[in-house]
Amino acid sequence: MKTLLKSFIIGVGIGATVFLWQVVTIGFVPTVYQVLSVLGFSGLMGVAALIFDLKNINFVNRLFLHFCSMFLLVAGMLLSNQWLDMTEILSFVPGFVMIYGIVWLVLFIYNLVVSKKINQHLKKNLDK
């Protein structure tokens, strides 16, 4: 339960930051419903990240489940806030796939760099 709440709060924080950045740069004034909706969906996106902790499912399947979860959550948020309608859903897919791929690649490279630093630090301590 603690992990779910922590993931939800992290998702809300990331979503609030991205949403605030968009509000400032685009200059649109959201309704209370839109703000609450973004925060709620963002929290659920944070919880969806826990899919990667499911060790009984292979990585490719976890990635696919996460991708589908994120797609449904983002599409649901956009549809519920009337920022997208069903006639535009097919044009939304390529952009979503591209953004998901870029974010995944950046996080993969970041984790690789952090892992190398940790391994170097451990090796250095073992050599002492």
Side-chain angles (χ1 to χ4, degrees), residues 11-112:
V12 168
I14 293 169
T17 302
V18 171
F19 189 59
L20 180 61
W21 175 75
Q22 288 182 334
V23 166
V24 169
T25 58
I26 296 171
F28 102 104
V29 180
T31 65
V32 172
Y33 173 81
Q34 289 170 330
V35 171
L36 294 175
S37 169
V38 167
L39 296 178
F41 276 102
S42 296
L44 293 175
M45 289 176 205
V47 172
L50 294 175
I51 289 170
F52 288 111
D53 292 344
L54 302 173
K55 301 302 179 200
N56 57 335
I57 301 173
N58 72 43
F59 179 74
V60 173
N61 288 340
R62 284 182 281 167
L63 185 61
F64 180 73
L65 281 171
H66 183 260
F67 174 85
C68 291
S69 299
M70 294 303 289
F71 179 83
L72 292 172
L73 287 167
V74 171
M77 180 181 66
L78 294 174
L79 289 167
S80 74
N81 285 308
Q82 298 176 343
W83 296 330
L84 178 74
D85 68 37
M86 289 304 289
T87 61
E88 300 169 316
I89 199 81
L90 288 178
S91 63
F92 160 73
V93 172
F96 176 83
V97 170
M98 185 175 67
I99 291 169
Y100 187 91
I102 290 169
V103 169
W104 187 86
L105 184 62
V106 167
L107 291 174
F108 178 80
I109 292 169
Y110 171 78
N111 287 328
L112 195 64

